[in-house]
mmCIF file of all heavy atoms in Angstrom:
data_model
loop_
_atom_site.group_PDB
_atom_site.id
_atom_site.type_symbol
_atom_site.label_atom_id
_atom_site.label_comp_id
_atom_site.label_asym_id
_atom_site.label_seq_id
_atom_site.Cartn_x
_atom_site.Cartn_y
_atom_site.Cartn_z
ATOM 1 N N THR A 704 -17.258 -45.889 4.307
ATOM 2 C CA THR A 704 -16.113 -46.833 4.384
ATOM 3 C C THR A 704 -16.499 -48.161 4.015
ATOM 4 O O THR A 704 -15.866 -48.917 3.227
ATOM 5 C CB THR A 704 -15.420 -46.733 5.732
ATOM 6 O OG1 THR A 704 -15.100 -45.427 6.042
ATOM 7 C CG2 THR A 704 -14.195 -47.513 5.675
ATOM 8 N N THR A 708 -15.071 -49.945 0.740
ATOM 9 C CA THR A 708 -14.327 -51.169 0.954
ATOM 10 C C THR A 708 -14.942 -52.516 0.261
ATOM 11 O O THR A 708 -14.212 -53.154 -0.326
ATOM 12 C CB THR A 708 -14.228 -51.413 2.485
ATOM 13 O OG1 THR A 708 -13.610 -50.328 3.132
ATOM 14 C CG2 THR A 708 -13.371 -52.739 2.789
ATOM 15 N N TRP A 719 -6.720 -52.818 1.199
ATOM 16 C CA TRP A 719 -7.735 -51.965 1.909
ATOM 17 C C TRP A 719 -7.307 -51.223 3.148
ATOM 18 O O TRP A 719 -8.053 -50.366 3.588
ATOM 19 C CB TRP A 719 -8.997 -52.922 2.315
ATOM 20 C CG TRP A 719 -8.688 -54.037 3.181
ATOM 21 C CD1 TRP A 719 -8.231 -55.267 3.025
ATOM 22 C CD2 TRP A 719 -8.731 -53.900 4.599
ATOM 23 N NE1 TRP A 719 -8.035 -55.887 4.094
ATOM 24 C CE2 TRP A 719 -8.313 -55.149 5.187
ATOM 25 C CE3 TRP A 719 -9.064 -52.745 5.526
ATOM 26 C CZ2 TRP A 719 -8.218 -55.268 6.523
ATOM 27 C CZ3 TRP A 719 -8.994 -53.167 6.971
ATOM 28 C CH2 TRP A 719 -8.660 -54.299 7.377
ATOM 29 N N TRP A 720 -6.211 -51.581 3.714
ATOM 30 C CA TRP A 720 -5.918 -51.118 4.956
ATOM 31 C C TRP A 720 -5.684 -49.646 4.913
ATOM 32 O O TRP A 720 -6.355 -48.851 5.635
ATOM 33 C CB TRP A 720 -4.497 -51.710 5.380
ATOM 34 C CG TRP A 720 -4.563 -53.180 5.571
ATOM 35 C CD1 TRP A 720 -4.240 -54.159 4.698
ATOM 36 C CD2 TRP A 720 -4.774 -53.998 6.812
ATOM 37 N NE1 TRP A 720 -4.314 -55.453 5.048
ATOM 38 C CE2 TRP A 720 -4.720 -55.219 6.516
ATOM 39 C CE3 TRP A 720 -5.202 -53.613 8.088
ATOM 40 C CZ2 TRP A 720 -4.859 -56.321 7.409
ATOM 41 C CZ3 TRP A 720 -5.422 -54.607 8.977
ATOM 42 C CH2 TRP A 720 -5.314 -56.005 8.646
ATOM 43 N N TRP A 721 -4.775 -49.221 4.060
ATOM 44 C CA TRP A 721 -4.500 -47.748 4.047
ATOM 45 C C TRP A 721 -5.666 -47.102 3.351
ATOM 46 O O TRP A 721 -6.051 -45.906 3.636
ATOM 47 C CB TRP A 721 -3.204 -47.418 3.195
ATOM 48 C CG TRP A 721 -1.959 -47.486 3.928
ATOM 49 C CD1 TRP A 721 -1.150 -48.517 3.921
ATOM 50 C CD2 TRP A 721 -1.507 -46.553 4.841
ATOM 51 N NE1 TRP A 721 -0.114 -48.225 4.813
ATOM 52 C CE2 TRP A 721 -0.284 -47.025 5.255
ATOM 53 C CE3 TRP A 721 -2.027 -45.257 5.289
ATOM 54 C CZ2 TRP A 721 0.340 -46.259 6.395
ATOM 55 C CZ3 TRP A 721 -1.205 -44.550 6.139
ATOM 56 C CH2 TRP A 721 -0.050 -45.088 6.657
ATOM 57 N N GLN A 722 -6.420 -47.834 2.252
ATOM 58 C CA GLN A 722 -7.502 -47.125 1.675
ATOM 59 C C GLN A 722 -8.659 -46.818 2.551
ATOM 60 O O GLN A 722 -9.206 -45.806 2.317
ATOM 61 C CB GLN A 722 -8.006 -48.083 0.493
ATOM 62 C CG GLN A 722 -8.917 -47.493 -0.356
ATOM 63 C CD GLN A 722 -8.359 -46.383 -1.326
ATOM 64 O OE1 GLN A 722 -7.237 -46.294 -1.586
ATOM 65 N NE2 GLN A 722 -9.181 -45.388 -1.626
ATOM 66 N N SER A 723 -8.888 -47.657 3.531
ATOM 67 C CA SER A 723 -9.951 -47.389 4.433
ATOM 68 C C SER A 723 -9.605 -46.201 5.281
ATOM 69 O O SER A 723 -10.590 -45.271 5.647
ATOM 70 C CB SER A 723 -10.368 -48.699 5.265
ATOM 71 O OG SER A 723 -9.139 -48.965 6.046
ATOM 72 N N PHE A 724 -8.386 -46.069 5.578
ATOM 73 C CA PHE A 724 -7.979 -44.953 6.484
ATOM 74 C C PHE A 724 -8.098 -43.603 5.685
ATOM 75 O O PHE A 724 -8.631 -42.632 6.304
ATOM 76 C CB PHE A 724 -6.478 -45.168 7.006
ATOM 77 C CG PHE A 724 -5.892 -43.976 7.838
ATOM 78 C CD1 PHE A 724 -6.215 -43.946 9.185
ATOM 79 C CD2 PHE A 724 -5.171 -43.007 7.300
ATOM 80 C CE1 PHE A 724 -5.683 -42.955 9.909
ATOM 81 C CE2 PHE A 724 -4.557 -42.137 8.050
ATOM 82 C CZ PHE A 724 -4.960 -41.925 9.309
ATOM 83 N N LEU A 725 -7.650 -43.641 4.490
ATOM 84 C CA LEU A 725 -7.766 -42.460 3.599
ATOM 85 C C LEU A 725 -9.221 -42.168 3.249
ATOM 86 O O LEU A 725 -9.649 -40.934 3.243
ATOM 87 C CB LEU A 725 -6.977 -42.729 2.359
ATOM 88 C CG LEU A 725 -5.409 -42.799 2.438
ATOM 89 C CD1 LEU A 725 -4.854 -43.143 1.250
ATOM 90 C CD2 LEU A 725 -4.925 -41.626 3.229
ATOM 91 N N THR A 726 -10.060 -43.168 3.124
ATOM 92 C CA THR A 726 -11.461 -42.937 2.887
ATOM 93 C C THR A 726 -12.169 -42.287 4.023
ATOM 94 O O THR A 726 -12.774 -41.271 3.921
ATOM 95 C CB THR A 726 -12.220 -44.261 2.436
ATOM 96 O OG1 THR A 726 -11.545 -44.828 1.372
ATOM 97 C CG2 THR A 726 -13.650 -44.074 2.312
ATOM 98 N N GLY A 727 -11.897 -42.705 5.188
ATOM 99 C CA GLY A 727 -12.351 -42.120 6.456
ATOM 100 C C GLY A 727 -11.985 -40.805 6.693
ATOM 101 O O GLY A 727 -12.834 -39.866 7.153
ATOM 102 N N GLY A 773 -10.135 -40.827 9.870
ATOM 103 C CA GLY A 773 -9.474 -41.941 9.330
ATOM 104 C C GLY A 773 -9.443 -43.135 10.160
ATOM 105 O O GLY A 773 -9.555 -44.253 9.674
ATOM 106 N N GLY A 776 -12.699 -44.820 10.077
ATOM 107 C CA GLY A 776 -12.974 -45.549 8.831
ATOM 108 C C GLY A 776 -12.172 -46.853 8.856
ATOM 109 O O GLY A 776 -12.685 -47.934 8.446
ATOM 110 N N PHE A 777 -11.054 -46.818 9.403
ATOM 111 C CA PHE A 777 -10.103 -47.955 9.417
ATOM 112 C C PHE A 777 -10.824 -49.075 10.311
ATOM 113 O O PHE A 777 -10.829 -50.308 9.955
ATOM 114 C CB PHE A 777 -8.694 -47.663 9.927
ATOM 115 C CG PHE A 777 -7.759 -48.743 10.252
ATOM 116 C CD1 PHE A 777 -7.206 -49.436 9.231
ATOM 117 C CD2 PHE A 777 -7.755 -49.397 11.483
ATOM 118 C CE1 PHE A 777 -6.358 -50.586 9.408
ATOM 119 C CE2 PHE A 777 -7.026 -50.456 11.633
ATOM 120 C CZ PHE A 777 -6.249 -51.044 10.641
ATOM 121 N N ALA A 780 -13.788 -50.664 8.615
ATOM 122 C CA ALA A 780 -13.559 -51.541 7.660
ATOM 123 C C ALA A 780 -12.981 -52.808 8.230
ATOM 124 O O ALA A 780 -13.216 -53.933 7.703
ATOM 125 C CB ALA A 780 -12.530 -50.897 6.696
#
Side-chain angles (χ1 to χ4, degrees):
T704 306
T708 302
W719 60 271
W720 302 90
W721 278 104
Q722 188 64 31
S723 62
F724 180 81
L725 296 176
T726 298
F777 172 85

